[in-house]
Amino acid sequence: MKEAGWIVALILAALGAAAFLLRHRLARAIGYVRADQAGGEGRREESPRGNGARSDRQWLGERFELDELEVSDVMVHRTNMRSVNADNPPEAIVREILQSPNTRIPLWRGSLDNIVGVLHAKDVLRALDEAGNDLARVDLMKFAERPWFVPDTTTLQEQLNAFLRRKAHFAIVVDEYGEVEGLVTLGDIIEEIVGEIADEGDIDLAGVKKEADGSVVVDGTVPIRDLNRALDWDLPDEEATTIAGLVIHETQSIPDEKQAFTFHGKRFVVMKRDKNRIARLRIRPVSLEAVPRPDPERT
C-alpha cells in the first residue's frame, strides 16, 4: 500500500477504535440512550439498510461541528508557511527541505501567490540517490507534485471528504481572488477532532517563547488559533488572524513600543514595532481584579 494510503488507513482505524470504545459514554453525553438500555426510549432511527457505520460517521461530523468550521480556521497562515523559490539553486532547495520539520514544502516562482509545485522530502532523497548525490543532475521540478488549490471557504467536513477521496493530505488554501492564504493538511483536521497529536518530531511553536516569570513573548505574525492551541488559551480569532491583528483590532490603533493594554484576561505589552507593524509582544495573564478594557497606558 502506498504511503498516503496506509497513513489515511491508520488514522481512520484509530478514529474508529476511539469512537467504538467511547460510543456509549459519548452517546449518553448528548442525551442518546439505546433502546435495549431504556426500554426503547430515545432510540435513534436507523437507515433502511441498518448501516451503522454511516450513522456513526454522520454523528461524528455533527459532534465536532466540522460543517461549521472552514479550512481558513485551521490552516497554516501564509506568514508561517514554509516555502521555497523554485528558481533557487538545487542545493539551496534541498537544504531548505532537509531543515524543514515538514515532509512537504511548496515551490513558488515570482511570488508566493504563484505556487508551481509541492516537493516531498522522500522524493528529493530518491532523486539524489538516483543521481549519485550529484545535484547538478537533479531536476527537482520533475519530482514536484502538482499543487492542489482549495477555497478558503471550504468546510472542514468537505475538505476531510476530499482528502479521503483523493488519498491525499496536503492542499494550498486560496481566497476568492486566487491569492494564497496558507495551507491545510489532513493532520490539521484530525487535530481539530481529537486534539493536538504530539510525537517525537514535534517542535515548539515558532515565534513563541515562555519566560521564567510566566509571561510569553510572541511574534506579531503568530496566528491566534495556533497560540490558543499551544497555550490552552481562548483569545478570539473572529476579527483577526494574528496576535498583532488582535491588538490592533482591540485598540483601533497601531500602538507604540512599551505601550500596554489589558483585554480578554491578558496583559499585552508591545516590545517591538517595525514601521507600521507590531513585531513582538509580551503577554501575561492578569488577576481577576484587573479591568478587562483595552485602555492604553505607558509602562
Side-chain angles (χ1 to χ4, degrees):
M1 184 181 293
K2 294 184 178 179
E3 182 188 15
W6 70 256
I7 290 177
V8 171
L10 181 61
I11 292 173
L12 289 178
L15 287 175
F20 179 81
L21 292 174
L22 299 176
R23 65 192 187 283
H24 299 316
R25 184 181 300 175
L26 294 174
R28 286 195 296 270
I30 62 173
Y32 165 67
V33 180
R34 283 172 43 189
D36 59 356
Q37 293 176 328
E41 293 182 4
R43 182 172 183 177
R44 184 173 54 179
E45 182 178 355
E46 295 183 355
S47 65
R49 297 183 182 180
N51 192 337
R54 180 174 180 274
S55 298
D56 289 341
R57 286 196 299 270
Q58 289 177 333
W59 175 85
L60 187 64
E62 294 167 358
R63 172 66 180 83
F64 295 104
E65 301 177 338
L66 296 185
D67 282 329
E68 297 183 10
L69 292 174
E70 298 175 345
V71 293
S72 58
D73 293 318
V74 303
M75 70 181 183
V76 176
H77 193 267
R78 63 180 288 159
T79 56
N80 292 290
M81 189 174 80
R82 282 180 174 264
S83 61
V84 64
N85 187 346
D87 293 326
N88 284 348
E91 56 270 21
I93 297 177
V94 171
R95 182 169 57 251
E96 179 68 25
I97 291 174
L98 295 180
Q99 291 176 348
S100 172
N102 307 315
T103 57
R104 288 177 171 82
I105 190 165
L107 297 175
W108 52 269
R109 279 200 172 102
S111 74
L112 186 56
D113 291 314
N114 183 33
I115 303 292
V116 295
V118 177
L119 270 179
H120 194 297
K122 180 185 67 176
D123 294 331
V124 172
L125 293 176
R126 181 184 298 118
L128 286 173
D129 181 65
E130 293 175 354
N133 291 325
D134 183 1
L135 286 172
R137 298 170 50 197
V138 177
D139 180 5
L140 292 176
M141 282 303 301
K142 178 181 178 181
F143 297 91
E145 301 172 359
R146 184 176 181 181
W148 176 23
F149 299 99
V150 299
D152 57 359
T153 55
T154 305
T155 68
L156 294 194
Q157 185 66 63
E158 293 169 340
Q159 189 59 42
L160 176 60
N161 293 339
F163 275 139
L164 298 179
R165 284 196 308 270
R166 295 175 65 118
K167 296 182 179 180
H169 50 88
F170 184 97
I172 303 295
V173 182
V174 297
D175 63 13
E176 60 182 314
Y177 303 105
E179 296 182 349
V180 173
E181 291 287 295
L183 65 85
V184 65
T185 68
L186 177 59
D188 294 328
I189 300 178
I190 297 301
E191 287 192 353
E192 188 64 30
I193 297 173
V194 303
E196 185 173 357
I197 302 172
D199 59 43
E200 60 185 6
D202 282 351
I203 61 172
D204 294 336
L205 179 61
V208 177
K209 181 181 179 182
K210 292 185 178 180
E211 300 291 322
D213 62 359
S215 65
V216 182
V217 176
V218 184
D219 288 351
T221 57
V222 171
I224 301 169
R225 195 174 187 85
D226 290 352
L227 192 63
N228 283 341
R229 283 180 171 177
L231 301 177
D232 196 25
W233 288 356
D234 58 356
L235 296 173
D237 60 357
E238 293 84 7
E239 302 296 335
T241 300
T242 66
I243 195 67
L246 176 64
V247 172
I248 292 173
H249 171 73
E250 293 291 342
T251 63
Q252 296 296 298
S253 67
I254 303 177
D256 296 325
E257 292 182 0
K258 298 185 178 181
Q259 199 166 3
F261 307 88
T262 300
F263 46 82
H264 303 303
K266 302 288 187 296
R267 182 75 165 169
F268 296 76
V269 180
V270 178
M271 297 180 64
K272 182 180 179 181
R273 172 174 162 173
D274 183 7
K275 296 181 180 179
N276 290 327
R277 182 175 66 89
I278 298 176
R280 189 175 304 124
L281 293 152
R282 183 184 297 276
I283 310 173
R284 61 165 55 90
V286 297
S287 66
L288 295 177
E289 291 76 20
V291 180
R293 293 185 304 169
D295 295 331
E297 64 183 41
R298 293 285 180 177
T299 58

